[in-house]
Amino acid sequence: MESLPTNRHTSTQGRQPFYGATTMNVVNAARNVGQVQAVLAQVRATAQKNRAVVVALTTAGVAALLYKFYARYLRFLEPGPLGYLKCMWWIRDKNLDAFMVEHERLFREGKRTGDHLPCCAHWYSLMAELIATFFSNSFHLSPPSYASQPADEIMRDLHTTFVRLMHMRPGVRALDLGSGVGGLSRDLARLSGSHIVGVASSTAEVEEANKLHSEQGLDYLCHQVQGDIQNLPFDDNSFDCVFAVYCLKHLTSQVRALSEAHRVLKPGGKILIYCIMKSDKYDQSNPEHVKLVEDFEYSCGMPSLHSIQGTLEDAKKVGFDLVTKMDLQHGDMRWSTVFERNKALLWMLESRIVDFGLRLAELVLLPRRFRRFYHLFLANNVLSIEKAGRNGVMTGSTVLIFGKPK
């Protein structure tokens, strides 16, 4: 048998020694690193030469992502991100602590006396501009025609329905009870050419409404006065129709306001009532139902909500005849859908992260006690509407039309 080679170097003939291979790998790796560094240097040089282009492309990319988020989650709310920044800037110098202390006092006084109008007027003294900024001057809700319908289109469709149901046209004289900052009055005037007189209890609302009437070129059709809807400053039989949209909820008893509306209406005239009310599903013995409604009442400074049946009975007491009763809800499209569909907004209102951010923002940007104001009057309001609307405890899409006999 042939003996195996005994020289340990014989078996490595034709191959590089181990230390030689390692050296070559290091050299190749260094060469690759050098090439990568050269490419990066070239990229940096190109970027420096075209800095404006790089910045523009980066900004465009970020803007596209932000717009995509806005279009998907936030476009249903008016007027968009710039409006939110405007609101934050506007509210930064408000004395929210004093506002909340006075709100608590007036709310308790209203519960004791049954007169919630002072609390309502105080609430609107701060919230009027907020409503004008975020709700297109109309703080009332309606079911959308389709799932992604923007808020301004929802309002336009609702007000068009009002005009059609009340047969409004040029020459008609209408009264808008509890008209806020005049959003409904202006829409009715635009859509019908009718003359609209608004009544609001807050000086701030009256001033803001008349300013907006003038700015939008509608002061020849719209005018707002300060007054009590339970003691109207108008002659008997002086209006063709009356609108009571989201205003009767501020009254402990509707009877006086309905009686006054009956007095100022011409024989054969009609009143349209559209308001948030307790539904037939509301159960006084259910703690969750009670809390939802009471949270909403406090956040708006108003008394216990009326019911549909109670409104029918009160209207009959003062001499009205029922003409129309209809619910605008259809399928899954509820009056609270404008909030239900905005998952990002609902998350923000309940998020602990946002709450922590508000704590920090109070130190440098937002006014003292803004966080408490945010939860009591903003988040509470929206969440109560969303939850109570979704489970049917409250209704805000029922149209009731009554007529004054000829």
Side-chain angles (χ1 to χ4, degrees):
M1 178 182 293
E2 246 177 67
S3 62
L4 293 174
T6 58
N7 189 334
R8 63 187 179 93
H9 293 294
T10 304
S11 61
T12 63
Q13 289 178 358
R15 293 188 299 156
Q16 293 179 349
F18 174 75
Y19 64 85
T22 302
T23 302
M24 290 302 297
N25 289 338
V26 171
V27 171
N28 290 333
R31 185 181 294 117
N32 291 336
V33 171
Q35 291 174 348
V36 171
Q37 289 176 336
V39 171
L40 291 175
Q42 186 176 0
V43 170
R44 281 195 294 269
T46 304
Q48 289 176 354
K49 291 180 181 178
N50 302 278
R51 186 178 183 83
V53 175
V54 173
V55 171
L57 291 175
T58 303
T59 303
V62 172
L65 290 175
L66 290 174
Y67 179 78
K68 184 176 181 180
F69 177 80
Y70 166 73
R72 175 66 179 85
Y73 295 109
L74 299 177
R75 70 189 180 92
F76 304 117
L77 294 181
E78 301 296 335
L82 291 179
Y84 303 147
L85 294 176
K86 176 185 175 183
C87 172
M88 288 300 197
W89 184 256
W90 167 77
I91 208 169
R92 76 193 191 286
D93 60 350
K94 306 300 180 184
N95 190 339
L96 300 182
D97 202 15
F99 171 82
M100 290 186 287
V101 169
E102 183 66 2
H103 179 87
E104 175 68 19
R105 186 188 72 79
L106 291 174
F107 187 79
R108 289 183 180 276
E109 185 70 9
K111 285 291 186 182
R112 186 181 67 82
T113 64
D115 182 9
H116 280 262
L117 289 180
C119 188
C120 173
H122 171 70
W123 187 84
Y124 277 110
S125 69
L126 179 67
M127 305 298 280
E129 189 172 345
L130 205 62
I131 292 170
T133 301
F134 283 93
F135 294 93
S136 301
N137 305 316
S138 298
F139 188 41
H140 48 271
L141 305 172
S142 177
S145 298
Y146 54 93
S148 60
Q149 186 178 24
D152 56 345
E153 287 186 15
I154 296 174
M155 282 299 95
R156 186 165 58 249
D157 287 354
L158 176 66
H159 297 164
T160 301
T161 299
F162 288 169
V163 168
R164 176 176 55 81
L165 291 173
M166 298 296 276
H167 306 290
M168 297 184 70
R169 62 190 182 280
V172 167
R173 190 166 186 254
L175 177 62
D176 182 8
L177 299 178
S179 48
V181 293
L184 173 62
S185 296
R186 288 187 291 278
D187 275 1
L188 294 177
R190 287 192 192 96
L191 292 167
S192 68
S194 301
H195 181 77
I196 316 293
V197 178
V199 180
S201 59
S202 167
T203 303
E205 285 186 301
V206 173
E207 293 174 352
E208 180 71 14
N210 285 324
K211 183 185 76 171
L212 292 171
H213 293 341
S214 178
E215 289 176 352
Q216 298 180 29
L218 290 168
D219 48 342
Y220 72 102
L221 287 176
C222 300
H223 178 65
Q224 187 139 310
V225 300
Q226 186 173 9
D228 182 353
I229 64 175
Q230 298 180 100
N231 187 22
L232 293 170
F234 306 111
D235 295 334
D236 296 355
N237 309 318
S238 53
F239 290 95
D240 299 295
C241 58
V242 175
F243 290 87
V245 178
Y246 275 41
C247 67
L248 297 179
K249 57 187 174 65
H250 294 294
L251 304 176
T252 302
S253 172
Q254 305 173 103
V255 174
R256 283 181 57 194
L258 291 173
S259 179
E260 279 291 276
H262 188 277
R263 178 181 67 79
V264 302
L265 267 175
K266 297 176 182 178
K270 295 185 292 185
I271 179 173
L272 181 148
I273 298 174
Y274 186 81
C275 199
I276 297 177
M277 295 177 274
K278 287 184 287 194
S279 72
D280 295 335
K281 293 183 179 180
Y282 176 78
D283 182 0
Q284 183 65 38
S285 63
N286 187 320
E288 182 182 358
H289 290 190
V290 173
K291 185 178 187 308
L292 281 174
V293 172
E294 289 185 348
D295 283 352
F296 177 70
E297 292 166 354
Y298 184 83
S299 68
C300 294
M302 60 192 191
S304 298
L305 284 177
H306 305 292
S307 65
I308 294 176
Q309 185 58 38
T311 302
L312 294 173
E313 293 171 359
D314 288 343
K316 185 177 180 180
K317 285 178 186 177
V318 303
F320 280 121
D321 296 327
L322 179 64
V323 176
T324 301
K325 176 188 175 185
M326 62 185 298
D327 193 334
L328 301 180
Q329 289 192 162
H330 51 95
D332 293 333
M333 299 294 103
R334 293 180 286 269
W335 64 282
S336 55
T337 295
V338 68
F339 293 133
E340 292 176 36
R341 66 190 179 182
N342 199 318
K343 305 303 181 185
L345 173 67
L346 297 178
W347 175 83
M348 288 170 59
L349 295 177
E350 296 184 293
S351 170
R352 291 184 179 181
I353 297 174
V354 173
D355 182 68
F356 180 73
L358 291 177
R359 287 177 184 268
L360 296 179
E362 280 185 348
L363 300 175
V364 293
L365 174 65
L366 298 175
R368 180 174 176 269
R369 304 292 293 278
F370 174 82
R371 176 174 161 271
R372 178 173 170 78
F373 171 83
Y374 168 84
H375 286 297
L376 283 179
F377 297 97
L378 303 180
N380 224 9
N381 194 300
V382 172
L383 293 173
S384 296
I385 290 174
E386 186 272 331
K387 292 175 183 176
R390 179 163 37 84
N391 62 27
V393 172
M394 297 192 309
T395 176
S397 55
T398 299
V399 177
L400 299 175
I401 299 178
F402 300 94
K404 179 179 179 176
K406 294 182 178 180

